[in-house]
Amino acid sequence: MNLPLEYALPPRHWFIRYAHQPGALVGLGIGLVILLIAIFANIIAPTNPKVTVADALHAPSLAHWFGADDLGRDTFSNVIHGTRVALIVGLVTALTSTLIGTLVGLVSGYVGGWWDDLLMRVTETFQMLPRFFLALLLVSLFGSNIMWVALMLGLTFWTGPARLLRSQVLSIKNREFVIAARSIGAHELAIMFRHVLPNAFAPVVVSAARQIAGAILTEAGLSFLGLGDPTLVSWGQLLNNAQRFIRTAWWLFVFPGAALALTILSTTLIADGLVAALRPQTHE
Amino acid sequence: MKTQSRLILLVGIAALVAACQSPAPAPTAAPTPAATFAPTATSAPTQPPTATKPSTTAAPTAVTSKQGGTFVIVAGTDPGHLNPAISTSGALHFSAGSLYNGLVALDKDFKPQPELADSWMITDDGKTYTFKLHPGVKWHDGKPFTSADVKFTFENLLLKFHARTQTGVAPVLDKIETPDDLTVVFRFKTPYAPLLQQLNVIEAPILPKHVYQVGGEPQNHPANLKPIGTGPFKFVEYKKGQQVVLERNREYFKSGLPYFDKLIFSIIPDTATALIAFERGEVDYVSVPGSDVERISKLPGVIVERSPAGSGGSFCVQTIIPNHQRAPLDKLPVRQALNLAIDRQRMVQQVLFNQGRAARGPMATTAWYFDSTLPTFEYNAAKANQLLDSAGLAKGADGFRFKLTAVFPNTVAKMAEVLKENFAQIGVNVELKIVDFNEANQTVFIKRGFDLGYASYCNGPDPEIGVRRAYDSTNIKAVLFSNGAAYKNPMVDELFARGVAETNRVQRVAIYAELQKILVNDLPYFWLYESEGAYAHRNTINDVRPWTSSLAEYAWSSK
Amino acid sequence: MRAYLVRRLLQLAPVVLLILAINFTLIQLAPGDPVLILAGDSGNETYYAEMRAKYGLDRPAYEQFARYVLNILRGDFGYSFRYGQPVFAVILERVPATLLLMLTAQTIAIIVGIGLGMIAGSRPSGNLGLFIRTGAALGYALPVFWIGQLSILFFAYQLGWFPVYGMESLRAGYTGIARVFDIAHHLALPALTLAVVEIGLLVRLTDATLRDLSGEDFARTARAKGLRETIVVRRHILRNALLPVVTAIGGQLGALLTGAVLVEIVFAWPGLGRLLYDAMLARDYPLLMAMFLVSAFGVVIGNLITDLLYTRIDPRVRFEAR
């Protein structure tokens, strides 16, 4: 079962094909910047995001580029620090869910039969769990630990990719090239990972990017309902706080919103680039 | 007459302590479905009429010109059902209060006024209350209202299901008698003075016996969703999550009242949306969060009224509860240091947006029993640091002396952040656990898993119940809004006992002044601030009385 | 096909029991106590104990669960703590509002989303494709409550085109056809807000799959036959591209009933999402359990429809009825 991961990747130069797409490069650029900002947030942010440094509801100025919130805390520093939580929530959730989802979807779709039944029942059961309630519960039980929240979101998010991949596999597994591979005596596992998975994977990549977005947005939604962790420096919390000042302090919701949009845009562009780059090259 | 004067004082021991009413579960600031409202007046509840004349609430002569119109009121939370006798939920009483009446009403100064009862008589021993009911009162379905309804409501609903009446009245009540259709007699085991404060439509709404004696359990009774009352408005429809619609009761026993043809409680959970709807004229009456008061009050044709009541109680002091059962909060110097580190002025400015004031002690600064000689609390981080240094609590390598786990409801998340910042300045690391209201109360009062908790202790019109419960060492138990700090001081216990027994009002105030001095020195709690609620309505709407929970009984539109 | 359906429905029983057990456990684990809410701000130990006994909350957890399951088998889902009504009456009352909102939003999203996705997908390069893709990414990128509040501010407050909140005009009390228009007027903003997000998702999915498939051999063959590109897309690629799109839409069906909490709160829309949220805050256990069950059935039915659609769209998919 332990096939090297490279097996799943199309043979040659997929990164060159990626680099040929300007949109994908822009996305990657933004993504890298965001990653750097997250890593060096302490250095980049001019002030501690949780410490009062200005008047309450200070409008954007040279000293405080993005203004300050109702407790006089620098919004720029908060937005900078918010990248960390966003990336943790997004990446951990997407990784967890894609990993589980891919395995389940592939086995379920390709092996079929009894396995398919079992795995799909499990998938359905997980789908039926009330995700929002689960999130509330986990926040209550595990407190402020954002890694936990992200992992748990991942554990509830994987059903999407699983079903997606299964449907792809179902439509691929009886195609000519798979049958051809089988007829020349290729090992079933090899067929699964070498021929079926790469050809079925594109929508899952899109879905993974979508899950980064989904996780960040779920955190924002929970925060909006007051179910998030208010002590966390996250864009969701900033937006949640901002809605009280939607009429009086525009900077509080414009900047975190923009940061959030940029991040999602970047993951989207990267995903699109990957889709094109990873397009199956079986016939070349 | 001697017994009489004692009674007068005891009447002040009002159980009207709608303390710490659960804030409506809205995503943002609680929209304040206020059940009880404190007046600004600091006067004590004065003499109740021992035998008042039937005061027919004289209807104004120009009634007809006031009549008509629809009044749309924003409710932040769905009431659930409309049976106010089995629930103390503020959201429920906010709309159901207009459907029913109590035996007495309370005016803005908490003085009992005739309502379903025209007059009452209290025996000298304070054990028997005789109420004469208003004749000719009809239920909304046309059936006559009688003393049997009162007896039934108390025995089958209020004393069993209304948490405050069940706690306050049930243990001391002997029996209720109905010698005739218009007379009700309450007999108590021991002298019981607060009764008249517990008979308004919030504390003891009277429900129809002929409806509730059949048809099922009170909690699941169909009439809870098709209520029949005696109140100024009649039920039309309740669409859950959407609206409660009431219409004018044309046969209301207070002749001439009410004025509005239709009353609509429109349920809008999101505060920002509710305010925009108000600005667009879609609704007429809305609770305004502190951050918007300034902006809204500048709008043309809009009046913002302030009420010293916070989110649903009277004379409320928002309070941090240090758990004395956990070190080092049991040490006075530590509590003194923490108290010194709290920047109350900043909280008032940035958390309340100046809609309130800094607390000065355990009792609300607007209450008649407040000791005005108390100093204001000092904010001095340097001094606090010194205190902690000399208490031997040195800073560790991480810059912190010790860690405190704070369990607060999400309604006070902003205050929590200021507090965390304040305490960090003196090397105290606060780990915030911000959870929903229900979980916070459970963790603090029932499970007791906290270092710092939070409650809005509402004092009510008399310190006996609203204040005493938080300090009396016999009240350290797994009950909401009890002595959460687990504070024990025999001296304090004794002074409270003396206070309730003291008949001379001046003496009594002196006792409470002494109490306040002790408490301010002992610092069993950290009293933060007293918030004010703000309500906006158009200037064409007059005479809204939110403190009664039948807020539109006298309201009229001059449009 | 019939055998397949029967098999699927038979498989449901253990899943439902499992779901009930998990939900029940979650509720037991969750912090909070409904009795404290029933007590309001007051009460004492006696009151707490009486309420606990009254609602059977004083029994051991397994006994509560057994009773619950037995009652369900008798068709009794219990009474809501908060509303004092049978839970299904409470739920049914809110279904129309949610269905109206969600189906409108989904319909808009499917038409606009797949349409734009096709346009973008058949133009892998070029400005229009880029524009649509960027727009879709942005539409998907912003929190729905944020878009909702901005749209209220702009379209309802500034421009006054739409009412601010709710499902009906309260003062007017319209009837008949006027009421229909009034509700449609109220529906527009929340439905569009929800649709924006969904459109973003569907555009991206359709686009990605289309572009992916246009390199497949059947498309190449079609092109080699000299067919025009639009015909290639319409006749050959689209059918295949629908598969993942249908999966995504099917997945949304389950969330149909509870998925719109945020929009329902922002627009004060009286639907099921808000009911669930209120029930959660009030620790209304019977109502919560029933709502979880309802949403579970939504998922089951959504998945079933998805699977059935597969066989229609893609003849290669076969169900082995064993």
Side-chain angles (χ1 to χ4, degrees):
Chain A
M1 232 13 214
N2 294 324
L3 282 171
L5 190 64
E6 292 90 306
Y7 252 73
L9 295 173
R12 269 191 309 260
H13 307 313
W14 61 274
F15 47 89
I16 291 177
R17 282 196 301 276
Y18 183 95
H20 277 294
Q21 306 168 78
L25 285 181
V26 171
L28 191 65
I30 302 175
L32 285 177
V33 170
I34 292 171
L35 193 67
L36 288 176
I37 288 176
I39 294 169
F40 298 108
N42 280 334
I43 300 168
I44 297 168
T47 70
N48 182 331
K50 283 290 181 190
V51 168
T52 303
V53 290
D55 306 332
L57 300 178
H58 181 92
S61 67
L62 278 179
H64 303 286
W65 298 350
F66 292 0
D69 70 4
D70 49 324
L71 295 183
R73 298 173 303 192
D74 186 56
T75 309
F76 180 66
S77 303
N78 269 288
V79 170
I80 293 294
H81 276 270
T83 46
R84 285 189 172 176
V85 169
L87 285 193
I88 290 175
V89 169
L91 292 177
V92 173
T93 304
L95 274 178
T96 317
S97 69
T98 306
L99 204 68
I100 304 174
T102 302
L103 276 178
V104 171
L106 190 60
V107 171
S108 180
Y110 189 77
V111 179
W114 189 83
W115 275 101
D116 185 28
D117 276 349
L118 179 76
L119 287 174
M120 281 301 105
R121 290 304 81 70
V122 174
T123 310
E124 273 175 12
T125 311
F126 264 85
Q127 268 185 313
M128 286 183 231
L129 289 178
R131 193 177 289 171
F132 232 69
F133 186 74
L134 206 59
L136 166 71
L137 183 77
L138 293 167
V139 171
S140 315
L141 289 181
F142 298 108
S144 55
N145 194 334
I146 191 67
M147 280 297 281
W148 267 112
V149 176
L151 262 178
M152 295 300 151
L153 280 181
L155 281 181
T156 62
F157 271 32
W158 63 264
T159 56
R163 290 185 66 86
L164 207 54
L165 195 71
R166 174 177 173 270
S167 78
Q168 286 292 107
V169 170
L170 279 181
S171 92
I172 284 170
K173 74 172 180 184
N174 292 327
R175 292 211 200 156
E176 307 83 14
F177 64 90
V178 177
I179 294 165
R182 198 173 289 134
S183 67
I184 58 168
H187 193 273
E188 284 293 324
L189 277 181
I191 297 173
M192 217 158 102
F193 283 94
R194 190 170 186 177
H195 299 284
V196 176
L197 184 59
N199 284 285
F201 205 62
V204 176
V205 172
V206 177
S207 129
R210 187 189 140 209
Q211 298 211 332
I212 294 180
I216 296 173
L217 291 171
T218 302
E219 196 271 328
L222 285 171
S223 302
F224 172 77
L225 292 182
L227 305 180
D229 180 359
T231 59
L232 216 59
V233 187
S234 80
W235 296 332
Q237 283 303 331
L238 294 179
L239 285 176
N240 173 43
N241 186 41
Q243 56 132 358
R244 293 199 301 155
F245 306 101
I246 196 161
R247 306 293 302 280
T248 42
W250 56 269
W251 55 92
L252 291 182
F253 68 89
V254 165
F255 294 116
L260 203 145
L262 264 182
T263 307
I264 313 254
L265 196 63
S266 145
T267 60
T268 305
L269 291 174
I270 292 174
D272 288 353
L274 281 176
V275 168
L278 294 176
R279 183 171 300 140
Q281 304 296 315
T282 36
H283 308 287
E284 281 181 6
Chain B
M1 226 21 218
K2 220 163 75 189
T3 343
Q4 193 57 54
S5 66
R6 186 173 65 81
L7 268 174
I8 291 160
L9 270 162
L10 281 178
V11 164
I13 305 164
L16 212 160
V17 185
C20 325
Q21 199 109 38
S22 352
T28 50
T32 318
T36 51
F37 270 76
T40 29
T42 51
S43 65
T46 45
Q47 179 171 6
T50 38
T52 47
K53 268 190 285 174
S55 90
T56 41
T57 318
T61 41
V63 163
T64 41
S65 65
K66 292 180 175 182
Q67 211 91 61
T70 299
F71 188 23
V72 184
I73 298 161
V74 173
T77 310
D78 216 6
H81 60 78
L82 295 164
N83 182 345
I86 61 167
S87 170
T88 53
S89 149
L92 189 159
H93 281 260
F94 190 59
S95 47
S98 297
L99 291 163
Y100 292 97
N101 293 106
L103 285 176
V104 304
L106 291 175
D107 68 9
K108 223 177 171 179
D109 299 326
F110 287 92
K111 280 186 245 167
Q113 301 294 332
E115 195 156 285
L116 285 174
D118 275 338
S119 62
W120 46 88
M121 196 95 109
I122 307 166
T123 53
D124 281 356
D125 64 2
K127 284 170 149 182
T128 308
Y129 287 68
T130 307
F131 293 88
K132 282 287 174 198
L133 303 183
H134 190 89
V137 177
K138 282 200 171 69
W139 293 101
H140 294 158
D141 62 1
K143 300 247 167 48
F145 158 79
T146 69
S147 54
D149 293 311
V150 179
K151 183 175 162 73
F152 177 85
T153 303
F154 268 89
E155 289 177 350
N156 295 284
L157 303 171
L158 293 167
L159 296 171
K160 285 185 184 164
F161 299 105
H162 189 286
R164 282 195 296 270
T165 306
Q166 192 269 349
T167 320
V169 181
V172 283
L173 185 70
D174 182 19
K175 58 185 165 187
I176 298 174
E177 291 164 359
T178 52
D180 64 58
D181 272 1
L182 293 178
T183 310
V184 183
V185 182
F186 286 76
R187 291 191 194 281
F188 288 90
K189 296 169 194 159
T190 52
Y192 189 68
L195 184 68
L196 287 176
Q197 307 282 355
Q198 291 183 310
L199 294 179
N200 68 342
V201 69
I202 299 165
E203 302 302 310
I206 304 301
L207 271 60
K209 178 182 179 184
H210 66 276
V211 172
Y212 277 92
Q213 69 183 352
V214 288
E217 289 274 296
Q219 293 108 317
N220 309 331
H221 200 283
N224 294 352
L225 293 165
K226 281 179 94 67
I228 289 172
T230 54
F233 291 91
K234 294 204 284 195
F235 177 77
V236 177
E237 69 164 359
Y238 168 31
K239 287 190 179 163
K240 297 194 195 71
Q242 199 172 353
Q243 57 186 318
V244 178
V245 182
L246 313 180
E247 65 177 6
R248 187 159 73 94
N249 177 5
R250 285 169 200 284
E251 280 144 74
Y252 192 42
F253 67 92
K254 297 183 187 174
S255 63
L257 292 177
Y259 301 118
F260 277 110
D261 283 340
K262 216 169 165 190
L263 206 57
I264 299 177
F265 292 89
S266 183
I267 298 147
I268 310 181
D270 186 68
T271 317
T273 306
L275 287 178
I276 294 173
F278 177 74
E279 286 180 59
R280 289 281 307 170
E282 290 183 30
V283 298
D284 303 316
Y285 184 88
V286 69
S287 150
V288 186
S291 50
D292 283 284
V293 166
E294 205 186 314
R295 188 176 62 84
I296 296 284
S297 51
K298 281 181 190 151
L299 297 175
V302 167
I303 294 176
V304 172
E305 285 186 273
R306 292 176 191 186
S307 153
S311 51
S314 56
F315 302 121
C316 305
V317 183
Q318 281 81 57
T319 304
I320 298 291
I321 308 167
N323 188 347
H324 294 216
Q325 289 163 333
R326 291 195 180 180
L329 294 169
D330 51 339
K331 295 194 189 72
L332 181 60
V334 173
R335 293 203 302 273
Q336 282 170 333
L338 292 173
N339 195 52
L340 276 169
I342 298 171
D343 187 351
R344 289 178 172 79
Q345 232 29 67
R346 181 173 173 214
M347 287 184 182
V348 169
Q349 281 165 16
Q350 297 187 343
V351 177
L352 299 185
F353 292 86
N354 293 316
Q355 305 303 306
R357 65 202 81 76
R360 285 165 65 187
M363 305 197 189
T365 53
T366 45
W368 60 270
Y369 40 81
F370 172 69
D371 175 16
S372 56
T373 65
L374 287 178
T376 53
F377 287 118
E378 188 187 356
Y379 168 54
N380 191 336
K383 205 162 149 187
N385 267 315
Q386 281 170 20
L387 270 172
L388 290 177
D389 285 339
S390 43
L393 292 156
K395 283 185 186 172
D398 58 353
F400 288 118
R401 303 171 195 274
F402 54 88
K403 191 177 95 172
L404 295 175
T405 303
V407 182
F408 293 153
N410 52 19
T411 46
V412 293
K414 269 282 127 88
M415 177 281 289
E417 298 209 39
V418 176
L419 194 78
K420 185 182 165 80
E421 218 180 290
N422 282 168
F423 284 179
Q425 285 181 344
I426 58 166
V428 174
N429 185 10
V430 176
E431 189 202 351
L432 289 178
K433 284 195 175 152
I434 310 276
V435 294
D436 79 352
F437 190 73
N438 178 248
E439 188 189 341
N441 288 337
Q442 187 196 30
T443 311
V444 171
F445 290 101
I446 311 295
K447 294 184 173 168
R448 302 201 57 76
F450 71 104
D451 294 320
L452 300 174
Y454 166 88
S456 168
Y457 280 108
C458 296
N459 295 174
D462 191 281
E464 172 54 16
I465 293 169
V467 182
R468 186 175 182 175
R469 59 185 175 161
Y471 303 93
D472 197 319
S473 66
T474 62
N475 203 32
I476 303 175
K477 38 178 134 166
V479 168
L480 293 193
F481 310 112
S482 53
N483 184 345
Y487 168 65
K488 284 179 204 149
N489 184 339
M491 183 77 165
V492 167
D493 291 355
E494 197 206 312
L495 280 171
F496 271 115
R498 269 174 54 202
V500 65
E502 179 56 62
T503 56
N504 183 307
R505 158 122 184 212
V506 180
Q507 296 282 325
R508 194 162 180 234
V509 168
I511 291 172
Y512 287 121
E514 194 185 339
L515 248 176
Q516 287 172 72
K517 288 196 176 71
I518 295 174
L519 289 173
V520 165
N521 281 327
D522 261 6
L523 288 170
Y525 294 82
F526 308 133
W527 308 282
L528 299 178
Y529 46 76
E530 303 158 13
S531 66
E532 281 183 347
Y535 299 86
H537 58 81
R538 317 227 161 268
N539 58 11
T540 53
I541 307 262
N542 308 277
D543 217 354
V544 186
R545 302 186 173 184
W547 70 90
T548 65
S549 137
S550 177
L551 78 177
E553 187 178 16
Y554 293 87
W556 54 283
S557 167
S558 52
K559 195 156 47 180
Chain C
M1 178 64 94
R2 184 171 300 154
Y4 170 75
L5 268 181
V6 169
R7 184 163 58 102
R8 285 293 298 264
L9 290 175
L10 279 180
Q11 284 162 346
L12 266 185
V15 173
V16 167
L17 195 68
L18 188 63
I19 277 292
L20 280 178
I22 293 175
N23 289 340
F24 189 83
T25 316
L26 283 181
I27 286 176
Q28 292 289 322
L29 283 177
D33 185 349
V35 167
L36 299 183
I37 290 171
L38 290 168
D41 50 17
S42 189
N44 53 22
E45 285 113 324
T46 324
Y47 183 84
Y48 300 158
E50 276 171 12
M51 287 296 133
R52 235 175 272 283
K54 186 113 209 153
Y55 291 104
L57 295 168
D58 54 341
R59 324 297 304 176
Y62 65 86
E63 191 186 325
Q64 286 184 46
F65 183 64
R67 271 166 197 248
Y68 184 74
V69 174
L70 285 177
N71 283 338
I72 283 184
L73 290 178
R74 289 204 301 259
D76 174 11
F77 286 84
Y79 279 79
S80 153
F81 293 165
R82 180 171 147 82
Y83 296 94
Q85 243 189 322
V87 289
F88 265 90
V90 177
I91 291 174
L92 282 178
E93 196 182 334
R94 307 291 278 266
V95 168
T98 286
L99 279 187
L100 182 63
L101 176 62
M102 294 301 274
L103 290 181
T104 311
Q106 285 285 341
T107 310
I108 298 172
I110 288 171
I111 294 170
V112 179
I114 295 184
L116 288 179
M118 277 166 58
I119 296 174
S122 52
R123 288 170 182 75
S125 51
N127 287 334
L128 185 59
L130 184 71
F131 181 74
I132 293 174
R133 273 190 288 277
T134 314
L138 272 177
Y140 189 68
L142 292 168
V144 66
F145 64 87
W146 203 79
I147 301 175
Q149 285 187 324
L150 280 184
S151 68
I152 289 179
L153 260 184
F154 191 68
F155 294 110
Y157 179 72
Q158 294 290 348
L159 299 176
W161 290 355
F162 298 101
V164 175
Y165 79 99
M167 197 163 104
E168 285 183 72
S169 297
L170 300 180
R171 274 185 241 265
Y174 293 115
T175 51
I177 192 77
R179 180 158 178 248
V180 173
F181 280 117
D182 183 46
I183 291 179
H185 197 200
H186 281 80
L187 176 64
L189 269 192
L192 284 173
T193 303
L194 268 178
V196 163
V197 179
E198 199 70 6
I199 288 171
L201 166 66
L202 289 180
V203 165
R204 292 178 27 62
L205 208 53
T206 314
D207 172 38
T209 321
L210 270 185
R211 286 199 281 162
D212 198 25
L213 289 176
S214 65
E216 290 275 347
D217 36 0
F218 61 84
R220 290 166 189 229
T221 316
R223 280 194 202 97
K225 283 195 291 184
L227 290 176
R228 272 189 295 135
E229 186 62 24
T230 46
I231 294 177
V232 175
V233 169
R234 208 171 293 156
R235 292 217 189 122
H236 297 270
I237 299 178
L238 196 58
R239 185 172 269 266
N240 293 287
L242 277 178
L243 219 49
V245 175
V246 164
T247 311
I249 296 170
Q252 298 290 318
L253 280 179
L256 202 70
L257 296 178
T258 52
V261 184
L262 294 165
V263 169
E264 288 188 357
I265 285 178
V266 168
F267 289 93
W269 190 264
L272 285 171
R274 264 173 65 200
L275 185 66
L276 180 70
Y277 176 68
D278 284 349
M280 211 151 80
L281 288 187
R283 306 293 192 274
D284 192 340
Y285 293 169
L287 186 54
L288 274 178
M289 288 291 287
M291 291 207 71
F292 291 168
L293 207 58
V294 167
S295 86
F297 270 105
V299 173
V300 171
I301 290 166
N303 289 349
L304 208 55
I305 293 175
T306 313
D307 284 354
L308 293 179
L309 277 178
Y310 279 175
T311 55
R312 299 265 163 189
I313 294 167
D314 190 344
R316 285 183 305 240
V317 180
R318 290 273 177 270
F319 293 105
E320 309 137 35
R322 301 185 308 162

